[in-house]
Amino acid sequence: MAAVEKPLGAMDLNSALAFLTQAHSTDGGSVYEHLTKVLEDKPNNALDLLEASYLIKKTAFSTKESSPLVPISAAADAARAIAGANIFGNPDLPIDPDSGEPIEAEAPNDFEGEDIVDASVLFEAVGCGLGTHESYGVAMAAHRLGESPSRGVAKVRFFGKIFGTHADYYVFETTLKDPPEAPTAPEGEVPYEENVGTNAYVYWVCNYLGGKLERLPPVTPGQIRSARQIKKFLTGDLDAHVSTYPLFPGAEKHFLRAQIARIVAATVLAPAGKYSAEEEGVLAPTEDFVALSGREMGSTSSWVHYYPHLKRQGRCDLFKREEPEDEEELERFAFTEDELEEGPEPLVSVEEDTPLAGADAGIQAWTPVVSARGETVKFQVGGVRSNTWPGAVSVAAGDGRYSNVYVGWAVKAALFVPLPPPPVATEYDAALVESKELPPKPAPPPAEEEEPEEE
């Protein structure tokens, strides 16, 4: 027998009205309000309107449940994009606070620089470098650096791009019209090189194109020697602490400068025969130089080292102490191995570079690269790629154009043997350190007699 449905009682009806009133929708309304609207309008298709409203609510797009299709850019990324775009236009002139008018800019500085965009075409031909698109930004950043009246740049060259764990470094090599004075080395240390050798050039870095260019400090021999004993990735922060063993004497900007000095001394090349060494190691262009074809430049015999050799002292120019005049001191005096090092002659061929050791034993220091496999292809580009410093490339075309660049992590591909910890300190005799016998109690000082007071 079917159950008979009972009519809603008074309490049931009140509960239903309360539920319809409290059940709010996503737009803030309630079911009771919607039903009241239907009763006021009295449409003919009331049921269809309710079904359409339910369907729209069910299929509505909720922004809270969906992630944005395009990531929200951070303020730092937006600032970098604006800075990168601004290098392609004229810089904004400062405003005079008194008159409110723009201050007239100083005349741009006259400088010399390589054709970075043209060099990027050569690198792209052999599958290296940064690419043409990024090279346009590099060229504009180098142009801004050279035209700055306050920096006084005479020559500018794009060294390359060094990767970091948090940010990268774009590095520019310059020669200043007024060379800076190098600091004086402490007494007893190897003197610093001033405007020659490792400090012949001044380097500027920025984390992104259009960003603020920071000038790196001069490098010291001690920093170069310490950099040779460690392997560490850069972070992208010039003021970051270099946490290594042995302790590095300086912040990341000093470590970066030491790595740059090591890289340029080993990887900046020139076509063989283009320069000749004169007195005191000065290089001068050869008048009767004839450029080889691009295919022929893809050989290690066609390249020589352009920068001087970096010796174990941390200097390019060997330093020797003066011999003492006293005979007794002269007998005890002896030059160290670093002071007796004989470096290679200027413009030495890259064929004489030491091959890699360790797991990569047998691999030569340089690998030839060419733009085409076929020998009959015209207008080829050839060069060499460093295996000791991965990322360093030198290329040349048949018309005499050549260029060098480094794009890498500033880590040398060499066998790394960490230095052992310092020797354990000498332990003294336990009998002298620990004892159960107490020392004798010192005798108290004699008591002072009090003088009688006069009446």
Side-chain angles (χ1 to χ4, degrees):
M1 186 175 184
V4 179
E5 295 183 358
K6 297 180 179 180
L8 291 174
M11 294 298 296
D12 294 337
L13 181 60
N14 293 335
S15 300
L17 291 176
F19 172 77
L20 295 177
T21 306
Q22 297 176 1
H24 295 283
S25 62
T26 56
D27 59 354
S30 64
V31 180
Y32 183 81
E33 294 177 355
H34 284 272
L35 295 177
T36 303
K37 183 68 174 176
V38 172
L39 294 176
E40 291 178 353
D41 297 342
K42 297 180 180 180
N44 297 327
N45 54 346
L47 182 60
D48 295 338
L49 291 177
L50 289 176
E51 292 178 352
S53 176
Y54 172 74
L55 181 63
I56 293 174
K57 295 290 184 181
K58 187 177 181 179
T59 59
F61 176 76
S62 177
T63 57
K64 296 181 180 180
E65 299 177 357
S66 177
S67 59
L69 300 178
V70 180
I72 300 175
S73 60
D77 296 335
R80 292 185 180 186
I82 294 174
N86 289 340
I87 62 175
F88 290 92
N90 296 325
D92 296 333
L93 298 177
I95 303 299
D96 188 356
D98 297 332
S99 62
E101 298 293 333
I103 302 175
E104 294 185 3
E106 300 181 26
N109 176 57
D110 294 331
F111 71 100
E112 297 180 5
E114 64 173 343
D115 192 342
I116 298 176
V117 177
D118 180 71
S120 69
V121 177
L122 303 181
F123 290 117
E124 195 171 4
V126 297
C128 302
L130 297 178
T132 306
H133 176 75
E134 191 172 3
S135 296
Y136 274 106
V138 173
M140 297 305 299
H143 188 73
R144 283 284 183 88
L145 174 62
E147 279 193 340
S148 175
S150 60
R151 296 187 173 106
V153 174
K155 293 182 180 179
V156 60
R157 181 183 76 90
F158 178 57
F159 164 83
K161 183 178 180 180
I162 296 180
F163 302 132
T165 57
H166 296 83
D168 303 331
Y169 290 112
Y170 291 89
V171 185
F172 298 91
E173 179 185 275
T174 62
T175 302
L176 302 184
K177 296 179 179 179
D178 295 327
E181 295 182 1
T184 305
E187 186 177 356
E189 293 189 7
V190 179
Y192 305 158
E193 291 185 301
E194 184 175 359
N195 301 322
V196 293
T198 55
N199 290 319
Y201 301 94
V202 177
Y203 292 89
W204 307 77
V205 298
C206 60
N207 293 125
Y208 54 92
L209 297 177
K212 182 181 179 181
L213 286 165
E214 298 286 349
R215 177 175 165 179
L216 296 181
V219 68
T220 66
Q223 292 170 353
I224 294 178
R225 293 195 303 268
S226 297
R228 285 171 167 167
Q229 298 175 348
I230 60 179
K231 269 193 175 184
K232 184 176 178 62
F233 287 125
L234 297 166
T235 64
D237 182 8
L238 292 176
D239 297 325
H241 173 66
V242 183
S243 178
T244 59
Y245 177 80
L247 182 65
F248 182 81
E252 181 165 303
K253 57 185 175 184
H254 302 96
F255 180 63
L256 173 61
R257 181 64 182 85
Q259 293 297 87
I260 292 175
R262 298 176 61 196
I263 294 172
V264 296
T267 63
V268 176
L269 311 180
K274 186 175 181 61
Y275 299 96
S276 59
E278 298 182 350
E279 297 180 358
E280 299 181 357
V282 179
L283 304 182
T286 306
E287 296 181 357
D288 55 350
F289 171 72
V290 178
L292 300 177
S293 64
R295 185 77 182 185
E296 293 173 329
M297 292 305 298
S299 173
T300 54
S301 60
S302 302
W303 295 91
V304 296
H305 287 280
Y306 181 73
Y307 284 3
H309 175 69
L310 187 59
K311 297 177 172 55
R312 291 194 299 266
Q313 277 185 339
R315 290 168 50 102
C316 295
D317 185 16
L318 188 64
F319 169 75
K320 285 188 176 182
R321 295 169 296 165
E322 295 182 359
E323 297 182 359
E325 298 179 357
D326 189 15
E327 294 183 359
E328 295 182 359
E329 295 182 359
L330 183 59
E331 292 178 357
R332 298 190 300 267
F333 179 82
F335 290 109
T336 62
E337 294 183 3
D338 294 346
E339 293 175 324
L340 298 176
E341 180 184 4
E342 295 182 0
E345 298 294 329
L347 300 176
V348 64
S349 176
V350 299
E351 289 183 317
E352 301 183 13
D353 288 5
T354 305
L356 272 64
D360 298 326
I363 300 178
Q364 297 300 318
W366 296 88
T367 299
V369 292
V370 291
S371 58
R373 294 184 178 181
E375 298 182 1
T376 58
V377 178
K378 296 182 179 180
F379 310 112
Q380 289 198 39
V381 178
V384 288
R385 175 173 51 85
S386 177
N387 296 318
T388 305
W389 288 97
V393 184
S394 301
V395 295
D399 55 1
R401 294 174 298 156
Y402 78 98
S403 184
N404 299 271
V405 75
Y406 177 82
V407 182
W409 291 91
V411 176
K412 186 177 181 179
L415 184 63
F416 177 61
V417 180
L419 290 180
V424 179
T426 304
E427 296 184 5
Y428 294 94
D429 189 1
L432 300 177
V433 178
E434 298 180 1
S435 176
K436 296 181 180 180
E437 298 179 1
L438 297 177
K441 184 178 180 179
E448 298 181 358
E449 299 180 358
E450 298 182 358
E451 298 180 359
E453 298 181 358
E454 296 181 358
E455 296 181 357

